[in-house]
């Protein structure tokens, strides 16, 4: 059976592993939540990723379905420890949900969380340097608050998870940009080929042919690259001016 140190080391390795195209944000957040429960002494955990360029809205993963639903609903309510933690960018200390202050601060969240059997909650920001992407929420059912050591270790886990999430976001951006550049280059090549074919066929300069092609596609709300591909592949162009 793995020792606590081995489980901790394994967790950091899992957070750091590159998944490439197989990366699934919800699965990653769920893994973070389960590992947080195992290592920090919390009874449940939920991790929420707030909107980024890669995906709009909120993604959440949790150690059980009820907590996942709670964190997603909390994002819609714009309240709760995770919401406040992400907005402030600072850890939210262990808070007793039954206290009047918590009920006033999170009227919907505190009722739902207590209905699920939780008595206390803490939240840690998912951040790395100036990147702040969400929060890790730790819930307990006992009357014993989460220790300072547990919260410090939890912040380390949250930081490691944020590095992986930011890295994945940058990879998605890079792949998207590469695909766009490849598409633009391919379209440019096809257009140049079509210009050469039409210029030869019509006995006109290539600049004149391109102007005809542009006016033709605009008047019919077509894309130049699509019409150019038809030319290159020998398909007829309806109502094309000239031979």
């Amino acid at each position: 059976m793995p020792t606590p140190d081995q489980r901790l080391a394994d967790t950091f390795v899992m957070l750091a592993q590159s998944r490439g195209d197989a990366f699934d944000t919800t699965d990653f957040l769920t893994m973070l939540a389960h590992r947080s429960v195992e290592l920090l002494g919390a009874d449940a955990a939920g991790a929420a990723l707030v909107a980024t360029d890669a995906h709009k809205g909120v993604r959440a993963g949790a150690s059980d379905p009820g907590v996942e639903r709670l964190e997603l609903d909390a994002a819609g309510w714009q309240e709760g420890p995770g919401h406040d933690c992400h907005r402030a960018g600072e850890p939210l200390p262990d808070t007793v949900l039954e206290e009047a202050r918590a009920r006033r601060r999170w009227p919907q969240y505190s009722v739902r969380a207590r209905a699920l059997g939780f008595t206390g909650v803490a939240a840690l920001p998912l951040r790395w340097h100036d990147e702040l992407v969400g929060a890790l929420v730790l819930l307990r059912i006992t009357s014993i608050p989460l220790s300072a050591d547990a919260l410090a270790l939890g912040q380390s886990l949250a930081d490691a998870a944020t590095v992986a999430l930011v890295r994945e976001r940058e990879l998605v951006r890079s792949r998207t940009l590469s695909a766009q550049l490849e598409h633009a280059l391919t379209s440019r090549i096809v257009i140049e080929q079509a210009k050469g074919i039409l210029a030869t066929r019509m006995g006109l300069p290539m600049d004149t042919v391109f102007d005809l092609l542009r006016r033709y596609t605009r008047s019919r709300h077509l894309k130049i690259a699509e019409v150019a591909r038809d030319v290159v592949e020998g398909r007829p162009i309806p109502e094309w001016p000239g031979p």
Side-chain angles (χ1 to χ4, degrees), residues 64 66-67 70 111-118 141:
D64 69 69
V67 174
L70 172 62
V111 170
R112 175 81 69 81
R114 285 186 286 119
L116 291 172
F118 299 111
I141 60 176

Side-chain angles (χ1 to χ4, degrees), residues 183 187 191 198 210-231 235-241:
H183 177 73
S187 297
I191 291 170
L198 292 173
F210 181 69
D211 185 57
L212 288 172
L213 188 60
R214 184 168 51 191
R215 282 187 287 167
Y216 176 86
T217 53
R218 283 180 177 175
S219 66
R220 290 162 176 78
H221 306 290
L222 300 171
K223 294 182 178 179
I224 291 181
E226 293 175 355
V227 176
R229 188 170 298 279
D230 288 340
V231 172
R235 287 188 287 270
I237 311 299
E239 301 179 12
W240 176 255

Side-chain angles (χ1 to χ4, degrees), residues 37-228:
V37 171
E38 292 176 16
L39 296 168
L40 306 179
D43 295 296
L49 180 68
V50 181
T52 67
D53 292 343
H55 45 257
K56 302 304 180 183
V58 175
R59 303 284 184 89
S63 56
D64 69 69
V67 174
E68 181 176 336
R69 185 70 260 165
L70 172 62
E71 295 307 321
L72 288 171
D73 287 344
W77 300 329
Q78 293 192 331
E79 69 167 71
H83 174 267
D84 289 359
C85 177
H86 174 258
R87 185 175 58 184
E90 297 293 337
L92 188 145
D94 191 292
T95 302
V96 177
L97 289 166
E98 186 60 41
E99 289 181 348
R101 182 179 60 176
R103 295 200 304 270
R104 288 195 302 270
R105 188 175 183 181
W106 311 315
Q108 298 179 89
Y109 187 96
S110 61
V111 170
R112 175 81 69 81
R114 285 186 286 119
L116 291 172
F118 299 111
T119 61
V121 63
L124 304 167
L126 293 174
R127 68 183 181 199
W128 183 249
H129 299 307
D130 59 345
E131 297 282 350
L132 182 62
V133 300
L136 173 63
V137 178
L138 306 172
L139 298 121
R140 57 180 173 82
I141 60 176
T142 68
S143 60
I144 302 173
L146 293 165
S147 69
D149 287 345
L151 293 177
L153 176 56
Q155 187 62 67
S156 295
L157 293 176
D159 291 346
T162 306
V163 172
L165 290 165
V166 170
R167 181 179 59 199
E168 173 60 20
R169 183 180 65 185
E170 295 304 319
L171 286 173
V172 170
R173 285 178 176 173
S174 178
R175 287 194 292 264
T176 300
L177 179 59
S178 295
Q180 290 172 342
L181 291 174
E182 182 178 359
H183 177 73
L185 178 60
T186 301
S187 297
R188 185 72 253 175
I189 291 172
V190 171
I191 291 170
E192 291 300 318
Q193 289 174 331
K195 284 167 57 179
I197 293 170
L198 292 173
T200 301
R201 184 184 301 168
M202 302 177 70
L204 295 173
M206 291 184 66
D207 288 346
T208 302
V209 167
F210 181 69
D211 185 57
L212 288 172
L213 188 60
R214 184 168 51 191
R215 282 187 287 167
Y216 176 86
T217 53
R218 283 180 177 175
S219 66
R220 290 162 176 78
H221 306 290
L222 300 171
K223 294 182 178 179
I224 291 181
E226 293 175 355
V227 176

Side-chain angles (χ1 to χ4, degrees), residues 7-45:
R7 289 199 300 271
L8 179 59
D10 288 345
T11 298
F12 278 104
V13 169
M14 291 179 68
L15 292 173
Q17 283 178 339
S18 176
R19 293 163 179 79
D21 292 338
F23 188 91
D24 183 281
T25 302
T26 300
D27 287 347
F28 181 84
L29 295 173
T30 300
M31 182 270 289
L32 172 63
H34 279 288
R35 289 293 175 135
S36 298
V37 171
E38 292 176 16
L39 296 168
L40 306 179
D43 295 296

